[in-house]
Amino acid sequence: MKVKTAAKINLNLSIQNSPDSNLHKLDSLIVPIDLYDEIDICIANENKDNIVFTNNKNLSKESTIHKAIACLRRNTNLTNFFNIKIDKGIPIEAGLGGGSSDAAAVLIAIKKMLDIQLPDHLVIANEVGSDVPFFINGKPAKVTNIGDKVEDYFIEKEIFFLIILPNFGLSTKNVFHQWDILTKENLETEKHTVFDSIEVFNDASHAAFYLEPRLKEMKDLIEEELDKNIFLTGTGSALFAVFDNKDDADLCKEKLVIDNCSTLVTKKIDYSYKELSD
């Protein structure tokens, strides 16, 4: 089975400590976007998994896909092994959810191939990752608790994004660790409203900018150059601006000249998972 699985943008992200979990409690409005990884998965004839990231060999040793399959084996009667090839189009450590999207796509594909029941979202969030239930659901959604509670959030309006990708990433683990330290300072997160109703903000930005001052410098420079609010998505290094039409997003992309990063224009889509063939 060949599938495409999309990236995401956190339009907003509120973070709290969770007394009941080693994960943090989240409240986030997330939308899938038209930036994809492609995955080819089939049942293996030998008793081992062969998971290959064609353009990132390090991920072939340990990834969220490995965690997802291990989660299935712990929580279901799965006995099969798999050959999986992943062509990465979603940058890693960017806050765009590529690893979680891959894991969710593999879980969905295995469910369809073998007609098995997936573990519940709480188990998947704890054992694989807090963004994975969002991608299993696949639609724009309000995500709460530790990522296991996913409620569809219909946004009628088209949304386009100019995404700025620095040539460095950020570790989610390091960002949350730094957030734990900085929350003692009672930092306030700056919030902006787009389209009259959607608040855009990210509580993780304080920690991200502390760990990577270059990211804050880049954000300030882009805001000055484009006269647009620039935001951080998730706990990675990707920055984004919000537009209501593609022409304006493309115009800002052409206008922006900044070193040590790349840019692309994407849009909100309705569903993150797409089968290309059986």
Side-chain angles (χ1 to χ4, degrees):
M1 178 181 288
K2 292 184 179 180
V3 303
K4 289 173 65 174
T5 188
K8 56 85 176 172
I9 289 285
N10 295 78
L11 284 168
N12 52 54
L13 174 59
S14 175
I15 306 171
Q16 295 180 345
N17 283 315
S18 172
D20 304 318
S21 172
N22 59 349
L23 299 175
H24 293 77
K25 293 186 73 172
L26 311 172
D27 189 331
S28 185
L29 176 57
I30 311 177
V31 297
I33 59 173
D34 63 339
L35 173 65
Y36 299 95
D37 288 348
E38 292 194 9
I39 301 176
D40 192 343
I41 177 170
C42 63
I43 296 173
N45 293 322
E46 52 187 341
N47 292 331
K48 69 174 184 177
D49 296 313
N50 183 31
I51 301 171
V52 176
F53 288 78
T54 58
N55 45 6
N56 194 316
K57 300 301 181 184
N58 289 333
L59 291 176
S60 301
K61 302 172 185 176
E62 183 178 359
S63 69
T64 51
I65 291 178
H66 293 80
K67 291 181 180 180
I69 294 175
C71 176
L72 281 184
R73 294 198 174 114
R74 280 192 297 269
N75 296 283
T76 72
N77 59 358
L78 179 70
T79 57
N80 301 87
F81 292 86
F82 302 93
N83 294 322
I84 305 174
K85 183 178 77 172
I86 306 96
D87 293 328
K88 292 291 293 178
I90 305 171
I92 64 171
E93 293 191 332
L96 296 169
S100 296
S101 186
D102 293 344
V106 166
L107 289 173
I108 295 169
I110 292 173
K111 175 185 177 180
K112 292 188 174 188
M113 286 190 295
L114 299 176
D115 193 26
I116 64 171
Q117 184 70 35
L118 295 181
D120 65 36
H121 282 179
L122 184 61
V123 170
I124 291 172
N126 267 306
E127 296 189 12
V128 188
S130 58
D131 280 339
V132 179
F134 163 77
F135 282 109
I136 291 174
N137 185 64
K139 303 173 185 177
K142 193 75 167 175
V143 178
T144 55
N145 201 39
I146 62 168
D148 57 302
K149 297 187 183 302
V150 182
E151 181 180 355
D152 290 351
Y153 192 101
F154 178 69
I155 303 174
E156 182 176 8
K157 190 172 186 63
E158 283 194 314
I159 305 178
F160 295 86
F161 303 97
L162 170 61
I163 298 178
I164 302 99
L165 297 163
N167 61 0
F168 55 85
L170 280 171
S171 157
T172 294
K173 180 180 179 181
N174 291 345
V175 170
F176 274 119
H177 176 70
Q178 191 61 48
W179 181 87
D180 288 335
I181 296 170
L182 292 179
T183 48
K184 298 174 184 177
E185 301 179 16
N186 296 316
L187 296 175
E188 292 291 328
T189 300
E190 186 177 359
K191 299 180 180 181
H192 296 270
T193 301
V194 298
F195 312 135
D196 299 323
S197 60
I198 299 174
E199 278 195 323
V200 186
F201 65 91
N202 189 337
D203 281 354
S205 58
H206 304 293
F209 295 154
Y210 184 92
L211 291 170
E212 267 295 355
R214 290 177 294 172
L215 195 58
K216 179 63 164 63
E217 294 171 4
M218 189 176 291
K219 174 184 180 295
D220 292 343
L221 181 64
I222 296 168
E223 286 184 329
E224 182 177 351
E225 188 166 343
L226 299 183
D227 194 26
K228 288 280 294 183
N229 292 315
I230 301 297
F231 306 97
L232 184 78
T233 179
T235 55
S237 60
L239 301 168
F240 70 93
V242 182
F243 300 84
D244 61 5
N245 66 86
K246 187 176 186 298
D247 288 344
D248 286 349
D250 286 334
L251 187 62
C252 281
K253 180 180 184 297
E254 293 174 9
K255 180 180 177 182
L256 184 61
V257 179
I258 186 167
D259 295 332
N260 302 316
C261 73
S262 59
T263 58
L264 68 152
V265 172
T266 68
K267 67 176 181 179
K268 172 183 69 72
I269 57 176
D270 294 329
Y271 191 56
S272 64
Y273 175 91
K274 181 179 181 181
E275 292 182 14
L276 301 178
S277 63
D278 293 335

